[in-house]
Amino acid sequence: MKPAMIRTMDSQGRIIIPHEIRRTMNLSGGDTIEIRTVENGVLLSKYKSASAGDRSMKKYLNILYSVTRCGAAICMEDQVIVSKGLCVMEGTTISETLQDYIRSGKQQIFTEPVYLTDTSVSQVDTLIPLSAPDKFWQSSALVVIKGRHEITESERACARLIAALISTPNI
């Protein structure tokens, strides 16, 4: 194990990230850093805005919506990163119940009401985990929202296909 690098924080809370770490993480001036608290410390990571940086996700959701007319969203553990057919902005916090299901990493078809956000407006029908380590550093999923009609198995199959395409590296 490498020895820890010790840095002093200034009076405004700033620290300098050592050159070796910046080089390893491919960081340069102007990059955005995501800061999260973890059990006994702080996790720093290079921020990847999936909605801004990966237009293919929006294209895939557009395709899914044009075929199924079902609202859908791609969510990370705690927020919506891109959606189609919903009145939900990118960055909207998702419900704690849905967060737990996303972290579980299991596909779900919901028979009991589970909502996208803390309001009871967008009821989730299906959750399909995404496995794209080059695009997301945390758990993520494609969620399909119940609309005016029941989601058919064919529509779920379309959603699973879109999830597989999103999860495929370099597409």
Side-chain angles (χ1 to χ4, degrees), residues 48-122:
K48 292 182 180 179
S49 172
S51 58
D54 195 349
R55 291 183 185 9
S56 65
M57 282 188 232
K58 286 185 179 182
K59 289 180 185 176
Y60 287 135
L61 286 187
N62 284 337
I63 292 167
L64 180 61
Y65 184 76
S66 70
V67 171
T68 65
R69 289 295 181 217
C70 301
I74 298 173
C75 302
M76 289 200 305
E77 284 181 9
D78 58 351
Q79 65 179 306
V80 174
I81 56 174
V82 63
S83 67
K84 177 65 180 178
L86 304 171
C87 295
V88 174
M89 293 180 55
E90 296 166 2
T92 299
T93 302
I94 61 175
S95 69
E96 287 187 25
T97 304
L98 188 57
Q99 290 178 31
D100 292 339
Y101 280 110
I102 290 173
R103 286 187 194 106
S104 77
K106 296 178 185 172
Q107 181 172 320
Q108 300 283 334
I109 298 172
F110 297 101
T111 55
E112 298 295 319
V114 171
Y115 296 98
L116 183 64
T117 63
D118 287 331
T119 64
S120 54
V121 174
S122 299

